[in-house]
Amino acid sequence: MLSSNAITAVARRALSVATPANSAIRTHKLPGNRNTLAKYGGQHTVTAMPGDGIGPEMIGHIKKIFKYCNAPINFEEVQMTSIYQDGDMEEVIYAIERNGVAIKGNIETKFDDPAFVSRNVELRRRLDLWANVLHCVTIPTVPTRHKDIDIVLIRENTEGEYSGLEHESIPGVVESIKIVTQEKIERIARFAYEYAVLNGRKKVTAVHKANIQKLGDGLFLQIAKDMAKEYPTVEFDQMIVDNASMQLVSRPQQFDVMLMPNLYGNIISNIACGLVGGPGLVSGMNFGDVHAVFETGTRNTGTGLVGKDIANPTAFIRAGVDMLRYVGCHKHADLISDALWEALTEQGVHTGDIGGSAKTSELVERTLRNIERMMPRLD
Ligand code: ADP
Ligand code: MG
């Protein structure tokens, strides 16, 4: 079992990523005892991996915004896509291990090819990025069915149904193996409770299917429940994943922090993103013991949007803001976050996915103009 002190340090580092939000678009503090490894003369070097689809365009927008507000970030760009290039994965892993921090676009997963293993999953596993964290919060002016959603989704990111162990034992019979381990459940549960404490969150809801998967999900539930006793200030709740799905779409305000194993976490996170406006809005963070990778919450590629200047850049820009907080550039993070927030809310610059007609570049431009006006704050 991970010592509680070790995890507290992990939690504190990541939690110090984000300052308490005074605008809802700001991400919260996150657990982590990681170094932002590559820092030279006040400049942070981060890895940028554009990936497939709209990733390259979006990374371009992030670079432009960062440059505009003089954020002390140098991007080291490495590329990996669904088209295998000799040694590309090794190069990306090396770059992330060296810099400690990365921002990435998603890599398309070909599901018509049984031999194609998700490169995103492989990357997460190789770097042992075990915690995935999303903050789903309603943004005023973005049309949604429900108001006042503020949920932090914490997902185990390396095991469970994502073990990649599948085989056809005899023709017509497939075994798909879900592996869960006490150690990995403990570290993600610890992360969730530490996150809750450090961010003043009131409740952690463990999501499971222990009524059917009695051993696997049973272990998850048992560990979450036992560990809750160490955190008396945080209320523990548990919910079966099917009910959690229904509760989410009918009364999402009841959730605070959700703690989930891998696959349920994937699905529940997508429901939550949908509730607050869709794939273009929410960022996602991945943490291991030493590395952090920032990306969009729903990990889409948006391939159909490429080159049209219509994708919502908000999710990627927020991933950039999360990254700035992680490396300790809070002023720059606040500046970009507030500038984007104002563009989306007060100025109502909405792309098509959230009911508007603005181009991607218009939202970026408006954000830059807001940054220009707010820039004196940096002095
Ligand atoms: P899939 O993951 O199935 O390949 P996509 O990656 O293209 O599909 O994304 C799923 C849906 O979300 C698509 O309808 C896509 O247009 C939409 N989408 C993804 N990213 C964005 C974005 N940044 N802005 C607006 N819509 C988006
Ligand atoms: Mg896609």
Side-chain angles (χ1 to χ4, degrees), residues 42-296:
Q43 297 276 321
H44 300 271
T45 300
V46 305
T47 302
M49 211 236 30
D52 285 315
I54 55 173
E57 297 166 30
M58 296 297 139
I59 296 285
H61 292 305
I62 292 168
K63 284 182 175 172
K64 188 174 178 185
I65 293 169
F66 277 26
K67 195 169 176 188
Y68 200 83
C69 62
N70 303 320
I73 304 289
N74 295 315
F75 291 92
E76 180 190 15
E77 196 160 313
V78 285
Q79 182 59 315
M80 174 166 65
T81 69
S82 57
I83 300 160
Y84 280 92
Q85 302 287 332
D86 208 21
D88 57 356
M89 176 74 78
E90 302 310 316
E91 197 155 322
V92 169
I93 287 172
Y94 179 57
I96 298 175
E97 284 181 340
R98 193 175 51 223
N99 297 325
V101 181
I103 188 159
K104 81 181 269 285
N106 200 40
I107 302 167
E108 197 74 57
T109 298
K110 298 175 183 165
F111 43 107
D112 48 359
D113 176 0
F116 191 95
V117 181
S118 164
R119 309 199 81 190
N120 304 296
V121 172
E122 190 180 343
L123 188 65
R124 290 201 289 276
R125 195 162 46 214
R126 295 269 306 266
L127 291 167
D128 196 22
L129 294 165
W130 49 269
N132 178 236
V133 182
L134 266 64
H135 181 200
C136 286
V137 63
T138 23
I139 300 172
T141 76
V142 170
T144 53
R145 193 174 292 270
H146 297 281
K147 287 190 173 45
D148 304 323
I149 297 169
D150 182 358
I151 309 172
V152 173
L153 301 115
I154 297 180
R155 164 187 173 192
E156 202 292 320
N157 217 9
T158 58
E159 60 169 12
E161 301 81 355
Y162 288 65
S163 66
L165 297 172
E166 288 190 315
H167 53 265
E168 192 166 19
S169 13
I170 51 168
V173 179
V174 172
E175 292 180 54
S176 192
I177 301 173
K178 165 170 168 172
I179 295 179
V180 295
T181 57
Q182 180 182 339
E183 185 194 345
K184 290 181 180 176
I185 298 169
E186 278 171 357
R187 67 181 178 179
I188 195 70
R190 182 75 67 199
F191 186 100
Y193 290 116
E194 294 288 336
Y195 184 99
V197 169
L198 287 165
N199 287 280
R201 294 260 167 184
K202 303 275 177 287
K203 183 169 76 175
V204 171
T205 304
V207 178
H208 63 91
K209 188 78 187 172
N211 53 333
I212 303 298
Q213 305 232 311
K214 297 198 191 272
L215 286 182
D217 285 12
L219 184 64
F220 180 85
L221 179 58
Q222 194 57 50
I223 289 171
K225 205 188 234 169
D226 288 347
M227 201 179 279
K229 297 188 188 108
E230 297 175 43
Y231 297 90
T233 60
V234 180
E235 183 192 338
F236 172 74
D237 195 10
Q238 53 92 11
M239 207 177 272
I240 297 176
V241 63
D242 42 35
N243 185 30
S245 308
M246 183 171 63
Q247 294 294 328
L248 252 185
V249 298
S250 47
R251 213 166 51 81
Q253 300 83 358
Q254 68 185 285
F255 295 103
D256 189 345
V257 175
M258 298 178 89
L259 164 63
M260 299 165 294
N262 210 342
L263 182 62
Y264 311 149
N266 173 223
I267 298 164
I268 293 282
S269 297
N270 274 256
I271 296 175
C273 287
L275 285 171
V276 298
L281 290 169
V282 184
S283 56
M285 303 173 269
N286 303 283
F287 299 105
D289 289 334
V290 283
H291 307 115
V293 173
F294 299 87
E295 61 182 347
T296 61

Side-chain angles (χ1 to χ4, degrees), residues 7 53 245 355 366:
I7 276 279
S245 308
R366 189 64 76 97

Side-chain angles (χ1 to χ4, degrees), residues 53-54 58 106 108-109 111 270 277-281 296 298-305 310-316 351-354 360:
I54 55 173
M58 296 297 139
N106 200 40
E108 197 74 57
T109 298
F111 43 107
N270 274 256
L281 290 169
T296 61
T298 52
R299 298 170 173 160
N300 295 107
T301 50
T303 304
L305 310 172
I310 54 173
N312 192 337
T314 303
F316 270 96
T351 43
D353 56 311
I354 49 171
T360 313

